Amino acid sequence: MFTASSLLLSSQVSLAAQTGWLKTEGGNIRIITEPYMQGASKIRGVIDIDLLDGWKTYWRDPGAGGIPPSFDFSNTALVNAADIHFPAPTWVKSSYGDFAGYKQPIQIPFTLALSSPAKETTVNARLMVGICAEICIPAFDNFSIKLEEATGSTRDSAIVMNAFSALPKTATDLGVTVNLEHLSDVGAYNLQLNGNLDQLQLFVSSKNGIQFKKPLLLSETNDQKTYRIEPLHALDQDVSVDLLITGTTPQGSFEISCQ
């Protein structure tokens, strides 16, 4: 849960491919971008959250026990759209209710689609991230970072590339198949997964911004698990939901989009 207070610090401005750190009680936050190639139609970067021991932060859909982070890049003329790519989370136990999030330092990649070919400009971002111990402190700040044209490989490029490489693979890559049954009550689903599901942790979110409860395991065998998937709040029958199913196993993490 959030405290009544929050951190609102001065804007973090950088003329390099990294912003300064926003310092909070439980960790620090910055933005890193890779240099762009001439004529590029997109820019990649990461939101770098350096958590201190014992602190956590939320995934894109933490479930009933948290508030999703917010990343807004709209205050930049060159940026047409922003796509945030979340690494697979873990379930974090909390006295206020379990939530999906991260217990270690995490880098959240993003892709900025540009309205015209890349050029030297300043990207502005507004971030809200919950940094949590027993309670959560929402950290708000504005970041500005100057885009630079690539002149060769850089440490920033390597950081961004490694963060993208760590994102979930497709379910097919891990040999996992998914069957989804839309139920008639409150917008719930039965979700059946098949494959090597040893030590599976399952997470559900949506492209629509509809939040979901922690999946409820109904049955399992060695290579099949069935869950009930239920939205945080009841939905009307005609509401269309684009689900994102994310799973972690010792073999790696996967993500699949389905309706």
Side-chain angles (χ1 to χ4, degrees), residues 114-131:
L114 306 182
S115 56
S116 60
K119 60 184 178 182
E120 188 173 292
T121 190
T122 299
V123 170
N124 301 307
R126 171 72 169 168
L127 306 188
M128 189 287 291
V129 177
I131 307 293

PDB file of all heavy atoms in Angstrom, residues 114-131:
ATOM      1  N   LEU A 114       8.760   6.914 -33.463  1.00  0.00           N
ATOM      2  CA  LEU A 114       8.978   8.314 -33.793  1.00  0.00           C
ATOM      3  C   LEU A 114       8.063   8.762 -34.925  1.00  0.00           C
ATOM      4  O   LEU A 114       7.731   7.984 -35.825  1.00  0.00           O
ATOM      5  CB  LEU A 114      10.438   8.529 -34.192  1.00  0.00           C
ATOM      6  CG  LEU A 114      11.481   8.040 -33.174  1.00  0.00           C
ATOM      7  CD1 LEU A 114      12.882   8.350 -33.676  1.00  0.00           C
ATOM      8  CD2 LEU A 114      11.250   8.659 -31.801  1.00  0.00           C
ATOM      9  N   SER A 115       7.662  10.016 -34.892  1.00  0.00           N
ATOM     10  CA  SER A 115       6.779  10.573 -35.923  1.00  0.00           C
ATOM     11  C   SER A 115       7.552  10.991 -37.161  1.00  0.00           C
ATOM     12  O   SER A 115       6.959  11.249 -38.214  1.00  0.00           O
ATOM     13  CB  SER A 115       6.017  11.781 -35.354  1.00  0.00           C
ATOM     14  OG  SER A 115       6.921  12.754 -34.849  1.00  0.00           O
ATOM     15  N   SER A 116       8.872  11.080 -37.062  1.00  0.00           N
ATOM     16  CA  SER A 116       9.740  11.397 -38.191  1.00  0.00           C
ATOM     17  C   SER A 116      11.098  10.768 -37.908  1.00  0.00           C
ATOM     18  O   SER A 116      11.355  10.324 -36.783  1.00  0.00           O
ATOM     19  CB  SER A 116       9.861  12.918 -38.369  1.00  0.00           C
ATOM     20  OG  SER A 116      10.398  13.523 -37.210  1.00  0.00           O
ATOM     21  N   PRO A 117      11.982  10.676 -38.914  1.00  0.00           N
ATOM     22  CA  PRO A 117      13.283  10.030 -38.665  1.00  0.00           C
ATOM     23  C   PRO A 117      14.021  10.643 -37.482  1.00  0.00           C
ATOM     24  O   PRO A 117      13.935  11.845 -37.232  1.00  0.00           O
ATOM     25  CB  PRO A 117      14.030  10.269 -39.978  1.00  0.00           C
ATOM     26  CG  PRO A 117      12.954  10.375 -41.010  1.00  0.00           C
ATOM     27  CD  PRO A 117      11.819  11.074 -40.316  1.00  0.00           C
ATOM     28  N   ALA A 118      14.742   9.790 -36.760  1.00  0.00           N
ATOM     29  CA  ALA A 118      15.419  10.219 -35.542  1.00  0.00           C
ATOM     30  C   ALA A 118      16.379  11.366 -35.805  1.00  0.00           C
ATOM     31  O   ALA A 118      17.028  11.436 -36.854  1.00  0.00           O
ATOM     32  CB  ALA A 118      16.174   9.032 -34.944  1.00  0.00           C
ATOM     33  N   LYS A 119      16.425  12.278 -34.872  1.00  0.00           N
ATOM     34  CA  LYS A 119      17.352  13.397 -34.939  1.00  0.00           C
ATOM     35  C   LYS A 119      17.698  13.782 -33.506  1.00  0.00           C
ATOM     36  O   LYS A 119      17.081  13.307 -32.549  1.00  0.00           O
ATOM     37  CB  LYS A 119      16.731  14.585 -35.663  1.00  0.00           C
ATOM     38  CG  LYS A 119      15.458  15.112 -35.006  1.00  0.00           C
ATOM     39  CD  LYS A 119      14.834  16.223 -35.812  1.00  0.00           C
ATOM     40  CE  LYS A 119      13.534  16.709 -35.160  1.00  0.00           C
ATOM     41  NZ  LYS A 119      12.887  17.762 -35.956  1.00  0.00           N
ATOM     42  N   GLU A 120      18.697  14.602 -33.365  1.00  0.00           N
ATOM     43  CA  GLU A 120      19.081  15.035 -32.025  1.00  0.00           C
ATOM     44  C   GLU A 120      17.944  15.841 -31.411  1.00  0.00           C
ATOM     45  O   GLU A 120      17.506  16.848 -31.956  1.00  0.00           O
ATOM     46  CB  GLU A 120      20.347  15.876 -32.079  1.00  0.00           C
ATOM     47  CG  GLU A 120      20.907  16.209 -30.711  1.00  0.00           C
ATOM     48  CD  GLU A 120      22.251  16.897 -30.797  1.00  0.00           C
ATOM     49  OE1 GLU A 120      23.229  16.242 -31.203  1.00  0.00           O
ATOM     50  OE2 GLU A 120      22.308  18.094 -30.458  1.00  0.00           O
ATOM     51  N   THR A 121      17.441  15.367 -30.300  1.00  0.00           N
ATOM     52  CA  THR A 121      16.331  16.034 -29.624  1.00  0.00           C
ATOM     53  C   THR A 121      16.340  15.609 -28.162  1.00  0.00           C
ATOM     54  O   THR A 121      17.114  14.744 -27.760  1.00  0.00           O
ATOM     55  CB  THR A 121      14.983  15.676 -30.280  1.00  0.00           C
ATOM     56  OG1 THR A 121      13.957  16.513 -29.754  1.00  0.00           O
ATOM     57  CG2 THR A 121      14.606  14.220 -30.019  1.00  0.00           C
ATOM     58  N   THR A 122      15.476  16.214 -27.389  1.00  0.00           N
ATOM     59  CA  THR A 122      15.360  15.858 -25.979  1.00  0.00           C
ATOM     60  C   THR A 122      14.049  15.132 -25.738  1.00  0.00           C
ATOM     61  O   THR A 122      12.982  15.627 -26.106  1.00  0.00           O
ATOM     62  CB  THR A 122      15.437  17.111 -25.087  1.00  0.00           C
ATOM     63  OG1 THR A 122      16.706  17.736 -25.285  1.00  0.00           O
ATOM     64  CG2 THR A 122      15.297  16.737 -23.617  1.00  0.00           C
ATOM     65  N   VAL A 123      14.125  13.948 -25.161  1.00  0.00           N
ATOM     66  CA  VAL A 123      12.942  13.171 -24.805  1.00  0.00           C
ATOM     67  C   VAL A 123      12.576  13.491 -23.363  1.00  0.00           C
ATOM     68  O   VAL A 123      13.435  13.475 -22.472  1.00  0.00           O
ATOM     69  CB  VAL A 123      13.208  11.659 -24.964  1.00  0.00           C
ATOM     70  CG1 VAL A 123      12.076  10.842 -24.357  1.00  0.00           C
ATOM     71  CG2 VAL A 123      13.376  11.310 -26.428  1.00  0.00           C
ATOM     72  N   ASN A 124      11.304  13.780 -23.137  1.00  0.00           N
ATOM     73  CA  ASN A 124      10.799  14.069 -21.798  1.00  0.00           C
ATOM     74  C   ASN A 124       9.931  12.915 -21.322  1.00  0.00           C
ATOM     75  O   ASN A 124       9.122  12.384 -22.080  1.00  0.00           O
ATOM     76  CB  ASN A 124       9.988  15.363 -21.802  1.00  0.00           C
ATOM     77  CG  ASN A 124      10.806  16.550 -22.283  1.00  0.00           C
ATOM     78  OD1 ASN A 124      11.883  16.809 -21.759  1.00  0.00           O
ATOM     79  ND2 ASN A 124      10.323  17.252 -23.297  1.00  0.00           N
ATOM     80  N   ALA A 125      10.097  12.523 -20.071  1.00  0.00           N
ATOM     81  CA  ALA A 125       9.324  11.411 -19.511  1.00  0.00           C
ATOM     82  C   ALA A 125       8.834  11.782 -18.121  1.00  0.00           C
ATOM     83  O   ALA A 125       9.535  12.446 -17.355  1.00  0.00           O
ATOM     84  CB  ALA A 125      10.174  10.152 -19.439  1.00  0.00           C
ATOM     85  N   ARG A 126       7.614  11.346 -17.825  1.00  0.00           N
ATOM     86  CA  ARG A 126       7.026  11.508 -16.499  1.00  0.00           C
ATOM     87  C   ARG A 126       6.821  10.111 -15.939  1.00  0.00           C
ATOM     88  O   ARG A 126       6.091   9.300 -16.523  1.00  0.00           O
ATOM     89  CB  ARG A 126       5.699  12.245 -16.607  1.00  0.00           C
ATOM     90  CG  ARG A 126       4.864  12.296 -15.331  1.00  0.00           C
ATOM     91  CD  ARG A 126       5.452  13.221 -14.309  1.00  0.00           C
ATOM     92  NE  ARG A 126       4.521  13.476 -13.201  1.00  0.00           N
ATOM     93  CZ  ARG A 126       4.871  14.053 -12.076  1.00  0.00           C
ATOM     94  NH1 ARG A 126       6.110  14.468 -11.902  1.00  0.00           N
ATOM     95  NH2 ARG A 126       3.985  14.247 -11.114  1.00  0.00           N
ATOM     96  N   LEU A 127       7.463   9.810 -14.794  1.00  0.00           N
ATOM     97  CA  LEU A 127       7.396   8.474 -14.216  1.00  0.00           C
ATOM     98  C   LEU A 127       6.734   8.499 -12.851  1.00  0.00           C
ATOM     99  O   LEU A 127       6.898   9.442 -12.088  1.00  0.00           O
ATOM    100  CB  LEU A 127       8.802   7.880 -14.061  1.00  0.00           C
ATOM    101  CG  LEU A 127       9.720   7.833 -15.280  1.00  0.00           C
ATOM    102  CD1 LEU A 127      10.971   7.033 -14.955  1.00  0.00           C
ATOM    103  CD2 LEU A 127       9.018   7.242 -16.483  1.00  0.00           C
ATOM    104  N   MET A 128       5.987   7.425 -12.552  1.00  0.00           N
ATOM    105  CA  MET A 128       5.493   7.159 -11.210  1.00  0.00           C
ATOM    106  C   MET A 128       5.768   5.688 -10.927  1.00  0.00           C
ATOM    107  O   MET A 128       5.262   4.806 -11.622  1.00  0.00           O
ATOM    108  CB  MET A 128       3.998   7.458 -11.080  1.00  0.00           C
ATOM    109  CG  MET A 128       3.481   7.413  -9.627  1.00  0.00           C
ATOM    110  SD  MET A 128       3.350   5.750  -8.900  1.00  0.00           S
ATOM    111  CE  MET A 128       1.993   5.076  -9.854  1.00  0.00           C
ATOM    112  N   VAL A 129       6.592   5.422  -9.920  1.00  0.00           N
ATOM    113  CA  VAL A 129       6.978   4.065  -9.572  1.00  0.00           C
ATOM    114  C   VAL A 129       6.819   3.884  -8.073  1.00  0.00           C
ATOM    115  O   VAL A 129       7.288   4.713  -7.291  1.00  0.00           O
ATOM    116  CB  VAL A 129       8.446   3.787  -9.988  1.00  0.00           C
ATOM    117  CG1 VAL A 129       8.870   2.387  -9.545  1.00  0.00           C
ATOM    118  CG2 VAL A 129       8.616   3.943 -11.496  1.00  0.00           C
ATOM    119  N   GLY A 130       6.162   2.807  -7.657  1.00  0.00           N
ATOM    120  CA  GLY A 130       6.041   2.494  -6.242  1.00  0.00           C
ATOM    121  C   GLY A 130       7.252   1.715  -5.758  1.00  0.00           C
ATOM    122  O   GLY A 130       7.591   0.665  -6.317  1.00  0.00           O
ATOM    123  N   ILE A 131       7.940   2.228  -4.749  1.00  0.00           N
ATOM    124  CA  ILE A 131       9.070   1.543  -4.129  1.00  0.00           C
ATOM    125  C   ILE A 131       8.599   1.077  -2.751  1.00  0.00           C
ATOM    126  O   ILE A 131       8.206   1.889  -1.917  1.00  0.00           O
ATOM    127  CB  ILE A 131      10.286   2.467  -3.990  1.00  0.00           C
ATOM    128  CG1 ILE A 131      10.636   3.098  -5.353  1.00  0.00           C
ATOM    129  CG2 ILE A 131      11.474   1.719  -3.430  1.00  0.00           C
ATOM    130  CD1 ILE A 131      11.142   2.126  -6.374  1.00  0.00           C
TER     131      ILE A 131
END
